[in-house]
């Protein structure tokens, strides 16, 4: 079991963190990246808005959604369950926008 846990943990490091913008207050962008999920001060995240969901008209199956990159943010204050970030570039971020760590 220990070997399996170690193997899984090693593989998860190759998967970039994906989270959301949870609050925007003046110049600060609050995000779900945090200590509890391995984020660090200085981490950079790309910000994406999710456009229309794509649905198979025959089966009704959700196929995904198009995403549009809006810019990037950088964590400057780390908390246990959220972080504060500053905009490096881009604009028009909104609550719920997706953040994805740049590796």
């Amino acid at each position: 079991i220990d070997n399996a846990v170690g193997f899984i943990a090693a593989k998860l490091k190759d998967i970039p963190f994906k989270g959301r913008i949870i609050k925007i207050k003046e110049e600060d962008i609050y995000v779900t990246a945090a200590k509890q999920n391995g984020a660090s001060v200085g981490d950079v995240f790309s910000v994406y808005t999710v456009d229309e969901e794509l649905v198979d008209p025959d089966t009704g199956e959700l196929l995904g959604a198009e995403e549009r990159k809006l810019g990037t943010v950088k964590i400057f204050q780390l908390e246990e369950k959220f972080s504060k970030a500053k905009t490096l570039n881009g604009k028009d971020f909104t609550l719920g926008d997706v953040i994805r760590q740049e590796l």
Side-chain angles (χ1 to χ4, degrees):
I1 291 176
D2 289 341
N3 289 342
V5 169
F7 177 80
I8 292 169
K11 290 294 182 182
L12 287 175
K13 289 183 181 202
D14 296 335
I15 300 172
F17 175 80
K18 179 180 175 182
R20 299 268 183 182
I21 291 178
I22 54 175
K23 181 179 180 179
I24 300 172
K25 184 178 179 184
E26 298 168 8
E27 300 296 317
D28 296 340
I29 309 291
Y30 292 70
V31 297
T32 57
K35 284 181 187 176
Q36 72 179 7
N37 47 40
S40 301
V41 169
D43 285 352
V44 175
F45 294 86
S46 295
V47 180
Y48 298 86
T49 188
V50 179
D51 290 330
E52 181 180 355
E53 291 183 337
L54 304 171
V55 178
D56 185 312
D58 293 327
T59 65
E61 177 185 3
L62 178 62
L63 303 174
E66 292 183 347
E67 293 182 341
R68 216 171 1 104
K69 186 173 178 179
L70 299 175
T72 55
V73 297
K74 183 177 184 178
I75 291 179
F76 73 90
Q77 182 178 334
L78 190 65
E79 303 294 338
E80 187 61 34
K81 295 186 177 185
F82 71 92
S83 293
K84 290 183 183 180
K86 292 285 185 195
T87 301
L88 293 179
N89 61 62
K91 60 181 181 173
D92 299 329
F93 303 149
T94 59
L95 298 182
D97 282 346
V98 172
I99 61 167
R100 216 175 273 121
Q101 189 169 17
E102 295 186 355
L103 298 177

